[in-house]
Amino acid sequence: MLDDSLKSQLQQYLALLRQPIQLIASLDASQTSVDMRELLESIVSLSDKVTLDTNGVDARKPSFVVARQGETQGVRFAGLPLGHEFTSLVLALLWTGGHPPKFEADVLDQIRALDGDFNFEVFMSLSCHNCPDVVQALSLMAILNPKVKTTVIEGGAFQEEVTRREIMAVPIVFLNGENFGSGRMLLEEIVGKLDTGAAARDAAKLSAKDPYEVLIVGGGPAGAAAAVYAARKGIRTGVAAERFGGQVNDTMAIENYISVLETDGPKFAAAMEAQTRAYDVDIMNLQRADAIVPASQPGGLIEVKLANGGTLKSRTVILSTGARWRNVNVPGEQEYKNKGVAYCPHCDGPLFKGKDVAVIGGGNSGVEAAIDLAGVVKHVTVIEFMPELKADAVLVKKLHSLPNVTVHTNAQTTEITGADGKVNGMRYKDRASNEEHLVPLEGVFVQIGLVPNTEWLKGTVELSKFGEIVVDAKGHTNLPGVFAAGDCTTVPYKQIVIAAGDGAKAALSAFDHLIRTPAAEKPVAVAPAEAALA
């Protein structure tokens, strides 16, 4: 189950355990149970602080609990936590064994203070790169607070339950049997949804911060590069981001970033954040900007208003809000989102094993998605609006070599159909003949490009007809002291390496602005008596 190299690494981690733990397994006669027993016995063999009890009686079999010695409650894994989730298992072992988690102390205190009955179930797939963040967050909550119960369910091992509960996207979280949320969620976000007073406290805390010299809105490659370059100038730098890493977190293979032969999005994002923190940048995650207020005078402070009611101030601002998946905007798309309509083939593809699916989009993203899905699903139908596929020739050649792929070009998607709350087909129109076609299927993956996250800037910052922030060669916008970089701008070619370069350039431009623009003097308060004599 674990090769010698992985066992050696795991043994080093288990040496960090501060207190004994036990693994309580509920097994049956299935092959997955045999594999689970082998995995658990391997773990036990690597540390004298870990014991195994195979007399568990949980209804979900196979499953096992990671608990402190002498206790029966902890984090439960139903199915094998391998693939992307092996790290989640290792962290559950360490945290249960007393190794301190690397999160802010106030967040950990928030978790311990939660009062109520919280029974979480999180469904994941082993190929999902967004799932570990959710799994690890809910695992830590169960370890820190006895009122929180967490079960991590590998969808491939419990297909009957996945079908019965109509789960068609991961990660998806249920709280006390009700849908709590889907998609990637950070620990702070989950805790914030449970702690209703957290938003107001956070807003007050943010508004009380001293002004920055450079404030970056957005934490993708452009934002991270801007933060590093600004901080290296020795100036007070902050980053307000919905999630650090941005869309990079949703990218699987990264093979064209110079000096990095190969990596994946989550690792790349984690490395960006680690480097940014190394320069003592104030990173404020889970913050969505709502408005920007220009400085009232040269050298004055620019305000960025946040969705939670807080306000941040800075002498300069760099906008690097990135972009998001573009919707196809046809009937049925919103209605069946996460019920057959999906945007991440790596995350959700395994849930459609043996089924018929479609991919809308014939660019690199769409063709790569179709190639990946073809190895999992029964059949893939590719729909491309233009007369030819727009993907690289090598990808198109690979796509056409696959026996379970059908390609329709010059085709316009008109509707995603469904019944009983989930997708059952898709309609498209042949643009040459105007003939309508209905394709029966169970999943639709939308891969038609990006739309910039700039709606909140309308009326203040100049935008192009596509909603991109208009910038010059140095990243200046139409507002003094406000710069922009990355996928949200008019700079062509939306690539990680280009965004990073633009972020560095924007930071250098912001620094140049700071040294050439004296800070505005604060107005002197006039006493009432003096005002009366004036």
Side-chain angles (χ1 to χ4, degrees):
M1 181 59 63
L2 302 178
D3 60 31
D4 290 340
S5 175
L6 202 55
K7 283 183 179 179
S8 177
Q9 293 178 46
L10 182 56
Q11 188 169 31
Q12 294 178 41
Y13 284 122
L14 293 178
L16 301 173
L17 295 177
R18 299 181 178 182
Q19 60 191 35
I21 62 176
Q22 61 179 346
L23 309 175
I24 308 170
S26 301
L27 305 173
D28 55 20
S30 67
Q31 182 59 47
T32 306
S33 280
V34 174
D35 294 339
M36 181 175 288
R37 180 189 287 269
E38 181 183 346
L39 171 64
L40 300 181
E41 288 177 345
S42 294
I43 294 172
V44 170
S45 71
L46 299 175
S47 173
D48 58 5
K49 284 189 170 67
V50 186
T51 58
L52 174 61
D53 177 357
T54 58
N55 296 312
V57 294
D58 191 72
R60 282 195 187 93
K61 295 182 176 66
S63 67
F64 66 95
V65 174
V66 181
R68 297 181 182 89
Q69 194 69 45
E71 299 180 6
T72 57
Q73 181 180 321
V75 182
R76 179 174 296 278
F77 291 92
L80 288 168
L82 298 176
H84 286 298
E85 293 302 339
F86 186 70
T87 300
S88 301
L89 170 59
V90 173
L91 288 173
L93 295 169
L94 292 177
W95 292 336
T96 303
H99 188 70
K102 295 181 179 180
F103 289 94
E104 297 292 337
D106 56 349
V107 176
L108 302 181
D109 289 340
Q110 258 188 290
I111 294 170
R112 295 185 182 98
L114 289 174
D115 189 19
D117 181 18
F118 306 104
N119 184 10
F120 285 104
E121 299 166 297
V122 53
F123 285 81
M124 55 81 174
S125 70
L126 300 183
S127 60
C128 170
H129 55 280
N130 284 325
C131 293
D133 283 327
V134 181
V135 170
Q136 291 162 24
L138 293 173
S139 297
L140 179 59
M141 291 172 65
I143 292 167
L144 293 180
N145 189 329
K147 296 178 181 178
V148 178
K149 298 179 177 64
T150 295
T151 302
V152 180
I153 305 162
E154 197 275 294
F158 293 88
Q159 284 285 348
E160 184 279 329
E161 185 174 1
V162 166
T163 301
R164 173 169 47 83
R165 299 178 74 166
E166 298 183 346
I167 294 167
M168 306 183 77
V170 290
I172 187 167
V173 179
F174 294 89
L175 172 58
N176 300 332
E178 300 294 328
N179 192 320
F180 177 79
S182 60
R184 187 174 185 266
M185 292 182 283
L186 300 179
L187 176 64
E188 295 87 348
E189 185 177 358
I190 295 172
V191 174
K193 290 181 71 172
L194 300 175
D195 183 357
T196 55
R201 294 196 303 272
D202 195 29
K205 182 178 177 182
L206 292 169
S207 297
K209 287 179 177 286
D210 292 334
Y212 299 93
E213 290 175 282
V214 175
L215 173 64
I216 298 143
V217 183
V228 169
Y229 267 73
R232 283 173 61 87
K233 295 294 186 181
I235 56 182
R236 177 167 161 74
T237 305
V239 177
E242 287 197 60
R243 57 169 179 163
F244 205 94
Q247 271 217 121
V248 166
N249 289 292
D250 302 324
T251 303
M252 279 306 296
I254 298 175
E255 301 172 342
N256 56 359
Y257 195 88
I258 305 307
S259 83
V260 179
L261 184 62
E262 181 181 0
T263 187
D264 61 47
K267 288 180 182 177
F268 192 84
M272 287 196 305
E273 183 169 359
Q275 184 177 18
T276 305
R277 290 189 183 279
Y279 284 98
D280 201 29
V281 173
D282 186 6
I283 296 178
M284 297 158 280
N285 256 319
L286 300 178
Q287 302 303 329
R288 181 169 59 83
D290 258 3
I292 186 168
V293 181
S296 59
Q297 56 183 315
L301 295 177
I302 302 161
E303 293 187 2
V304 174
K305 296 185 179 298
L306 305 173
N308 63 8
T311 299
L312 297 171
K313 298 180 177 67
S314 181
R315 289 185 61 197
T316 63
V317 170
I318 297 174
L319 303 171
S320 58
T321 50
R324 63 186 182 276
W325 291 116
R326 185 183 299 277
N327 291 322
V328 71
N329 292 322
V330 297
E333 180 180 20
Q334 295 302 318
E335 181 180 356
Y336 298 113
K337 188 172 287 187
N338 295 329
K339 293 296 182 181
V341 175
Y343 299 83
C344 180
H346 306 291
C347 300
D348 301 331
L351 299 175
F352 295 85
K353 184 177 181 179
K355 299 178 180 179
D356 294 332
V357 304
V359 173
I360 301 175
N364 282 346
S365 295
V367 172
E368 287 175 353
I371 292 170
D372 288 344
L373 289 166
V376 177
V377 305
K378 180 180 178 183
H379 188 272
V380 182
T381 299
V382 178
I383 303 293
E384 166 55 38
F385 184 81
M386 299 302 290
E388 295 180 355
L389 296 175
K390 304 187 295 294
D392 296 341
V394 64
L395 295 175
V396 173
K397 182 178 179 180
K398 173 64 176 177
L399 182 72
H400 285 308
S401 74
L402 300 173
N404 62 334
V405 175
T406 301
V407 178
H408 297 291
T409 56
N410 211 23
Q412 179 181 357
T413 305
T414 57
E415 183 183 6
I416 297 171
T417 63
D420 301 322
K422 56 186 178 181
V423 168
N424 69 1
M426 182 185 68
R427 297 184 189 276
Y428 74 91
K429 181 177 69 174
D430 185 314
R431 297 176 61 218
S433 66
N434 283 327
E435 185 178 353
E436 292 270 356
H437 299 271
L438 174 64
V439 182
L441 43 75
E442 295 178 74
V444 176
F445 289 81
V446 180
Q447 301 280 292
I448 57 171
L450 304 170
V451 58
N453 298 315
T454 57
E455 292 86 350
W456 63 286
L457 296 169
K458 288 180 179 178
T460 52
V461 176
E462 182 184 357
L463 305 177
S464 72
K465 64 179 181 180
F466 301 110
E468 298 168 321
I469 301 170
V470 177
V471 292
D472 68 8
K474 293 186 176 180
H476 294 90
T477 71
N478 63 305
L479 298 181
V482 178
F483 305 84
D487 287 3
C488 64
T489 73
T490 50
V491 171
Y493 309 120
K494 313 304 185 186
Q495 298 290 312
I496 293 173
V497 68
I498 293 174
D502 280 351
K505 181 168 58 178
L508 295 174
S509 295
F511 180 70
D512 183 70
H513 174 86
L514 288 170
I515 61 178
R516 295 175 184 274
T517 309
E521 293 185 8
K522 295 181 180 179
V524 179
V526 181
E530 295 173 347
L533 296 173

